[in-house]
């Protein structure tokens, strides 16, 4: 047991260190380079930490609290992305909206702030998961995922490039809403798979998985590959392709997990106690 806890503390130590490095980087640019727009990142972290504290008044289960805050993030981010895209469409139409120059160098109104806010959430979530040990394994995929997102988002925000591309990738948060709703529902003890609410929830889960996550990320990847020659010699294209490759891989794994969870929930109620998730 000692070996396992030692490994866990080493893993935790590494991710704590990278999180502190990230925070130092952001604060340095706010204080010394006068990048005051990055204050929205700090505001995002504080907003979700406040949500955590409020939910903790009703539940002491760290996983329930963490999932509930994730649900708040998914809902907030989805609403922001839809608002940004709808506002842009109303103002300028779709003509040129998805041009390479617009996606890489342009920034739709409120896109920068929304991306900062979401970046702040990933920092908060990394901190919360580390503090309450809500991860497992020698290389916890959730912590790696958050670290990669923090690096990609922060670099994009600092260099002020690919902001609109990243806003498009966040459309997947629409699906995350129903992932978190399902998790919260099950933790709250509501597991009747025959109820209409659960059936509607699964329907929306699958629709948003295919439209907002699977198809949208494949289309973004295809667009990146098609416009590869339009990118400069910088780090943007390799980083974007690497990020999208990882996203698509995660989506494939998530699809398999979803299908298995759906099969388990469809089984007769009496066999449900064999499958505690």
């Amino acid at each position: 047991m000692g070996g396992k806890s030692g490994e866990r503390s080493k893993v935790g130590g590494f991710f704590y260190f990278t999180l502190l490095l990230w925070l130092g980087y952001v604060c340095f640019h706010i204080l010394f380079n006068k990048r005051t727009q990055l204050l929205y990142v700090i505001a995002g972290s504080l907003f979700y930490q406040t949500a955590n504290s409020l939910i903790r008044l009703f539940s002491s289960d760290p996983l329930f609290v963490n999932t509930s805050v994730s649900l708040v993030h998914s809902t907030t981010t989805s609403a922001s992305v839809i608002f940004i895209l709808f506002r842009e469409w109303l103002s300028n139409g779709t003509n040129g909206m998805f041009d390479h120059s617009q996606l890489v160098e342009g920034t739709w109104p409120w896109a920068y702030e929304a991306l900062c806010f979401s970046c702040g959430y990933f920092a908060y979530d990394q901190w919360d998961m580390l503090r309450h040990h809500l991860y497992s394994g020698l290389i916890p995929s959730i912590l790696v995922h958050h670290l990669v997102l923090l690096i990609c988002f922060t670099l994009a925000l600092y260099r002020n490039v690919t902001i609109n591309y990243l806003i498009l990738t966040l459309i997947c948060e629409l699906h995350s809403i129903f992932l978190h709703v399902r998790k919260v529902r099950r933790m709250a003890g509501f597991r009747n798979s025959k109820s209409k609410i659960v059936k509607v929830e699964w329907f929306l889960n699958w629709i948003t998985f295919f439209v907002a996550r699977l198809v949208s990320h494949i289309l973004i990847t295809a667009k990146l590959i098609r416009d590869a020659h339009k990118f400069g010699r910088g780090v943007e294209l390799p980083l974007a392709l690497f990020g999208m490759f990882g996203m698509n891989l995660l989506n494939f794994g998530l699809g398999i997990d979803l299908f298995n969870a759906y099969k388990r929930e469809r089984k007769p109620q009496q066999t449900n106690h064999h499958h505690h998730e």
Side-chain angles (χ1 to χ4, degrees):
M1 282 300 281
K4 271 211 164 175
S5 64
E7 279 175 8
R8 182 184 271 268
S9 64
K10 272 185 196 168
V11 169
F14 169 77
F15 285 102
Y16 266 126
F17 179 67
T18 53
L19 191 60
L20 278 173
L21 272 183
W22 170 85
L23 184 63
Y25 178 85
V26 173
C27 290
F28 175 83
H29 287 297
I30 291 170
L31 296 170
F32 298 103
N33 290 344
K34 305 287 186 281
R35 296 295 298 272
T36 50
Q37 266 190 304
L38 290 172
L39 279 168
Y40 283 102
V41 175
I42 308 296
S45 292
L46 293 174
F47 173 80
Y48 291 109
Q49 185 55 57
T50 305
N52 178 300
S53 303
L54 290 172
I55 294 162
R56 235 183 304 150
L57 298 173
F58 304 97
S59 172
S60 57
D61 177 4
L63 185 60
F64 181 84
V65 174
N66 182 274
T67 309
S68 300
V69 178
S70 297
L71 178 56
V72 173
H73 169 252
S74 300
T75 310
T76 308
T77 306
S78 300
S80 307
V81 172
I82 291 165
F83 167 76
I84 289 160
L85 293 174
F86 193 64
R87 188 188 182 283
E88 182 61 21
W89 175 62
L90 281 182
S91 303
N92 305 310
T94 51
N95 191 25
M97 190 172 165
F98 301 114
D99 282 357
H100 174 78
S101 58
Q102 177 72 285
L103 292 175
V104 174
E105 290 144 33
T107 307
W108 296 317
W110 295 103
Y112 194 94
E113 292 81 357
L115 203 63
C116 280
F117 222 68
S118 213
C119 189
Y121 161 77
F122 291 118
Y124 142 78
D125 202 40
Q126 190 84 322
W127 163 253
D128 193 56
M129 287 191 162
L130 285 165
R131 205 165 47 136
H132 294 109
H133 302 292
L134 302 176
Y135 59 90
S136 58
L138 194 58
I139 306 171
S141 58
I142 187 71
L143 298 183
V144 173
H145 174 248
H146 280 23
L147 179 60
V148 170
L149 280 177
L150 280 172
I151 293 166
C152 290
F153 277 37
T154 311
L155 276 176
L157 289 165
Y158 172 64
R159 295 164 65 94
N160 216 341
V161 288
T162 66
I163 303 294
N164 292 346
Y165 252 127
L166 287 168
I167 284 293
L168 289 179
T169 65
L170 285 174
I171 289 170
C172 69
E173 289 300 332
L174 205 56
H175 171 241
S176 298
I177 290 174
F178 301 102
L179 278 184
H180 299 317
V181 162
R182 176 179 176 269
K183 207 168 165 185
V184 167
R185 163 181 65 81
R186 288 174 65 79
M187 278 193 270
F190 189 74
R191 297 176 175 226
N192 181 7
S193 59
K194 290 188 169 61
S195 84
K196 272 193 178 141
I197 293 173
V198 174
K199 283 178 180 173
V200 168
E201 178 207 290
W202 267 114
F203 173 75
L204 292 170
N205 210 321
W206 281 117
I207 290 285
T208 53
F209 170 73
F210 282 109
V211 177
R213 190 178 287 277
L214 205 64
V215 174
S216 74
H217 283 173
I218 289 169
L219 287 175
I220 291 166
T221 311
K223 173 79 175 154
L224 281 170
I225 293 165
R226 205 179 80 180
D227 290 344
H229 65 285
K230 296 178 183 175
F231 278 88
R233 283 173 170 264
V235 74
E236 284 86 7
L237 180 64
L239 206 60
L241 285 173
F242 170 74
M244 289 317 297
F245 175 74
M247 285 276 207
N248 287 310
L249 207 62
L250 283 171
N251 291 344
F252 183 71
L254 183 60
I256 293 168
D257 289 347
L258 256 187
F259 182 68
N260 290 335
Y262 180 72
K263 271 200 310 189
R264 279 199 300 272
E265 276 201 27
R266 298 298 293 163
K267 280 186 179 178
Q269 291 284 264
Q270 62 265 30
T271 62
N272 270 5
H273 66 275
H274 293 302
H275 303 287
H276 291 304
E277 286 185 8

Coordinates of all heavy atoms in Angstrom, one line a residue, residues 38-48 117 120:
L38 N -6.0 38.8 -19.6 CA -5.9 37.5 -19.0 C -6.5 37.4 -17.6 O -6.5 36.3 -17.0 CB -4.4 37.1 -19.0 CG -3.7 36.8 -20.3 CD1 -2.2 36.6 -20.2 CD2 -4.3 35.5 -21.0
L39 N -6.9 38.5 -17.0 CA -7.6 38.5 -15.7 C -8.9 37.7 -15.8 O -9.3 37.2 -14.8 CB -7.9 39.9 -15.3 CG -6.7 40.7 -14.6 CD1 -7.1 42.2 -14.5 CD2 -6.4 40.1 -13.3
Y40 N -9.4 37.6 -17.0 CA -10.6 36.7 -17.2 C -10.4 35.3 -16.9 O -11.3 34.5 -16.5 CB -11.2 36.8 -18.6 CG -11.9 38.1 -18.9 CD1 -11.4 39.2 -19.6 CD2 -13.3 38.3 -18.4 CE1 -12.1 40.4 -19.8 CE2 -14.0 39.5 -18.7 CZ -13.3 40.5 -19.3 OH -14.0 41.7 -19.6
V41 N -9.1 34.8 -17.0 CA -8.7 33.5 -16.7 C -8.8 33.3 -15.1 O -9.4 32.3 -14.7 CB -7.3 33.1 -17.1 CG1 -6.8 31.8 -16.6 CG2 -7.1 33.2 -18.6
I42 N -8.3 34.2 -14.4 CA -8.4 34.2 -12.9 C -9.8 34.3 -12.5 O -10.3 33.6 -11.6 CB -7.5 35.4 -12.3 CG1 -6.1 35.4 -12.9 CG2 -7.6 35.3 -10.8 CD1 -5.2 34.2 -12.5
A43 N -10.6 35.2 -13.2 CA -12.0 35.3 -12.8 C -12.8 34.0 -13.0 O -13.6 33.6 -12.2 CB -12.6 36.4 -13.7
G44 N -12.4 33.3 -14.1 CA -13.0 32.0 -14.4 C -12.8 31.0 -13.3 O -13.7 30.3 -12.8
S45 N -11.5 30.9 -12.8 CA -11.1 30.0 -11.7 C -11.9 30.3 -10.5 O -12.4 29.4 -9.8 CB -9.6 30.1 -11.4 OG -8.9 29.6 -12.5
L46 N -11.9 31.6 -10.1 CA -12.6 32.1 -8.9 C -14.1 31.8 -9.0 O -14.8 31.4 -8.0 CB -12.4 33.6 -8.7 CG -11.0 33.9 -8.3 CD1 -10.8 35.5 -8.2 CD2 -10.5 33.3 -7.0
F47 N -14.7 32.0 -10.2 CA -16.2 31.7 -10.4 C -16.5 30.3 -10.1 O -17.4 30.0 -9.4 CB -16.6 32.1 -11.8 CG -18.0 31.7 -12.2 CD1 -19.0 32.5 -11.8 CD2 -18.2 30.6 -12.9 CE1 -20.4 32.2 -12.1 CE2 -19.5 30.2 -13.2 CZ -20.6 31.0 -12.8
Y48 N -15.7 29.4 -10.7 CA -16.0 27.9 -10.5 C -15.6 27.4 -9.1 O -16.3 26.5 -8.6 CB -15.3 27.1 -11.6 CG -15.9 27.3 -12.9 CD1 -15.3 28.1 -13.9 CD2 -17.3 26.9 -13.2 CE1 -15.9 28.3 -15.1 CE2 -17.9 27.2 -14.4 CZ -17.2 27.9 -15.3 OH -17.9 28.1 -16.5
F117 N -12.3 32.3 -19.6 CA -13.2 31.8 -18.6 C -13.1 30.3 -18.5 O -13.0 29.7 -17.4 CB -14.6 32.3 -18.8 CG -15.3 32.7 -17.6 CD1 -14.9 33.9 -16.9 CD2 -16.4 32.0 -17.0 CE1 -15.6 34.3 -15.7 CE2 -17.0 32.4 -15.9 CZ -16.6 33.5 -15.2
G120 N -9.8 29.1 -17.2 CA -9.9 29.3 -15.7 C -10.5 28.1 -15.1 O -10.1 27.6 -14.0

